[in-house]
Amino acid sequence: MSSAAIDHAHDHDHHHGPAKGITRWLFTTNHKDIGTLYLWFSFAMFLLGGTFALVIRAELFQPGLQFVDPNFFNQMTTMHGLVMVFGAVMPAFVGLANWMIPLMIGAPDMALPRMNNWSFWILPFAFLLMVSTLFMEGGGPNFGWTFYAPLSTTYAPDSVTYFIFAVHIMGASSIMGAINVIATILNMRAPGMTLMKMPLFVWTWLITAYLLIAVMPVLAGVVTMMLFDIHFGTSFFNAAGGGDPVLFQHLFWFFGHPEVYIMILPAFGIVSAIIPTFARKRLFGYDSMVYATASIAFLSFIVWAHHMFTVGMPLAGQLFFMYATMLIAVPTGVKVFNWVATMFRGAMTFETPMLFAIAFVVLFTIGGFTGVMLAITPADFQYHDTYFVVAHFHYVLVPGAVFSLMAAAYYWLPKWTGYMYDETLGKLHFWMSFVGVNLLFFPQHFLGLAGMPRRIPDYALQFANFNWISSVGAFLFGFSQLILLLVVIKCIRGGKKATAQVWEGAQGLEWTVPSPAPYHTFETPPDPSLIKAQ
Amino acid sequence: MLSKAKLWLSLAFGALLMWSAGAHAAWELNMPRGVTQISRETYDLHMTIFWWMIAIGVVVFGVLFWSIINHRKSKGAQPATFHESTKVEIVWTLVPFLILIAMAIPATRVLTAAYDASESELDVQIIGYQWRWEYRYMDDDPNAEEVSFFSSLATSREEISNSIDKGENYLLEVDNPLVIPSDTKVRFLMTAADVLHAWWVPEFAIKKDTIPGFINESWVIVEEPGIYRGQCAELCGMDHGFMPIEVHVLEPADFEAWYAEQQQQALQVAELTNAALSMDDAMAQGAEIYTRNCVACHQGNGQGMPPAFPAITGSAKATGDIGITMDTLVNGVPGTAMAAYGRQLNPIELASIITYVRNAFGNQTGDMVQPAEVNEFIVGGQ
């Protein structure tokens, strides 16, 4: 874009709109176009990963094997996890970062627009490669999204090599996206937009981007070691060759735990934008929110082995990781308290984004409570690898991260499309999702405590009732997402015209540009008087 | 507002309907208290932290919902302008911190106790296989006949495929349960032969990964004789959901009697290995072993599920040189799901299953192998 702008500097008052046809999307370097591509891609992956989940829940509807064989069931649990984490949640946040960060800091675009295009367009190929393994001889990856060796090396189906290559591509995409976010935030803020005036969404993404750069290479390293074990005769993870299967878990979770925060920190940023808007009151404790985010990011690097309390670490190691994990509750608590204090004595209205944001605060906190319980090591021996863990991380990821994404979509849709979405349909979508998600995941706490291990295609009879409820909730939740699709399509096609301000209580630079946001915004920096403390 | 109330009412009614529809089965909500001191202390920790979380939840959600109800614009609420308070931030940083310290102290105590596996009176080695457990009793007397056996799922394939009614202990029953004495400190030494598994009995509050190349330890003093059940808790491949654990805890005297009987049987197997096996006996026993060990992959008709699980019918390995059949069964096929049965089955069982696959599913080699030959093959280290 920048070179095009220079070439055509002579006719600079001529309007540069988007190119026409498919090439607009293939060659685009515009942050809004790329944001849109990321968001549509992640929504498609959300539906695909959701379909895999419904296969799982259909099989678990009743005891006995009904629909799929155990090997295919394992492929479904694996693919569901991988597609949701790497295909749905992460790219959705990158899409929001692309759309919103330049608008929020008063920048004309992302700092590295060509790399931006590349980091998106390698993603569909990565997922095509990964999902195609389902149709290969021997089937796709069937070793869980955590792909513990040696099940994922010596005992893996041949398609594991495609999986490794796909993970490499996803990692490259994430690292490029993260570099772009950091470069944009550190270099392209409008005059007057000091760091401590940045919206929290920008702050949380800045910190998330550093986490990505720190841990994605570790993931790339661990899958490369797998590749060598499988094809080149090394024994990194093969005990018979002097290797160490536990080493795999240490490396994986050194990536995996910060990864958890990569999926939730931007959600904190979104909720910190929406709650003040609809409470019509400034965010309580902005500074402490920034410090809490940074603390969580730091702690995320020293708690990884709490995923491994049952591998037989020495007592001192167990205690260290127990204490460090419990500490995370402190900054996370600060965030929740600040959100509640923001709502306290506000003047609230409950449009769809606010409903999702409030549900986020409540249900994410429930996931946080079970998180503290899981930190208590002796109790974790009972919870570990059961449906209690499944319930825990789905509470923080679905009504946590995913609800925040839905809140964000409703919140900024009018800014993206120029039209208001259908509020009635939006509320219907919220309530169906809310009921569905709780029916789906709440009974799983009971299943886990009563002793049901995760990742099993069939179960003992005492688990039948809650599995049944959970499956009903899954189908309700899953099909409700089609309402979101309907709302978005309707909103793109028309509706009530949105004003620039959109929401009465909204603050920030993105609300100073017209709706829909023009193809190019902030070609000249915004008036510094528009930049207020959050 | 009225329509929303109606919506809630119908949802609540729907939930009630679903509740009553399945009312015949269990509605277990919580963790078992278990039958060891550690399991009870673990349960108490679990309940303590649970009530702390409930208390925090009541306060936080209380303020949240109170604000939602009272501070809404539709009620004419005017937004306040406060937006920070260092004092408040310090309070809600410190209070959770103190609660966590209060939790960390008892948790540390229980964990330390659970890690003390010293001075055990009986040691049992637990080895995870795809997809069964092996239990080996470590006798203090090195000359004693070794007691060791494999423990596999006893639930029939017909129950799993829904063609007959499911039994009470569906998927939680095994052919040879682990037997240990009550009121005795039993130490478990855990490892695995192929991939990771995890040995878990909720009533003992023990869950430990079994890892190839590692020996993990854990211990138990069970106070109540009885039958306790658990499952593999670490994803270990296709039949991860089908490798349960069943532990029979006997009074110490009963355990001694059982143990002596097992030693006697081990002696008998050694003798029978040298006796001749008839074709009919081999085929009958082979069919049983096939159902227990082979059906999951190679299917009831021997056709398998190619390419991952090849057919036995017409296979070169089953119809060619008998030495190759023996090698496949004894040593497995590395890099595939075909396990090495050389240690999982005794020589009589191995001779039976080798004979069976060569003469069933349309294979008609007509030859057979004797237990003594199999034993020689294994001892010869081939």
Side-chain angles (χ1 to χ4, degrees), chain A residues 462-506:
Chain A
Q462 70 258 37
F463 306 129
N465 293 355
F466 286 124
N467 268 301
W468 186 60
I469 296 176
S470 185
S471 290
V472 170
F475 279 86
L476 177 63
F477 179 75
F479 283 97
S480 302
Q481 303 322 308
L482 298 176
I483 304 174
L484 176 60
L485 183 62
L486 180 67
V487 171
V488 172
I489 291 172
K490 266 188 76 173
C491 186
I492 292 171
R493 295 167 68 110
K496 192 174 149 248
K497 284 294 240 179
T499 61
Q501 176 63 25
V502 184
W503 309 109
E504 182 191 20

Side-chain angles (χ1 to χ4, degrees), chain A residues 434-448:
Chain A
F434 182 81
V435 172
V437 90
N438 284 296
L439 273 182
L440 166 54
F441 294 121
F442 207 80
Q444 295 185 357
H445 292 112
F446 306 138
L447 286 172

Side-chain angles (χ1 to χ4, degrees), chain B residues 267-312:
Chain B
L267 266 176
Q268 272 172 7
V269 168
E271 278 167 25
L272 279 174
T273 299
N274 294 316
L277 180 69
S278 77
M279 187 73 173
D280 289 348
D281 287 351
M283 289 300 284
Q285 197 176 353
E288 267 174 47
I289 295 163
Y290 185 86
T291 311
R292 206 164 67 223
N293 295 284
C294 317
V295 160
C297 300
H298 294 292
Q299 305 295 299
N301 55 9
Q303 295 306 310
M305 290 187 277
F309 310 114
I312 290 174

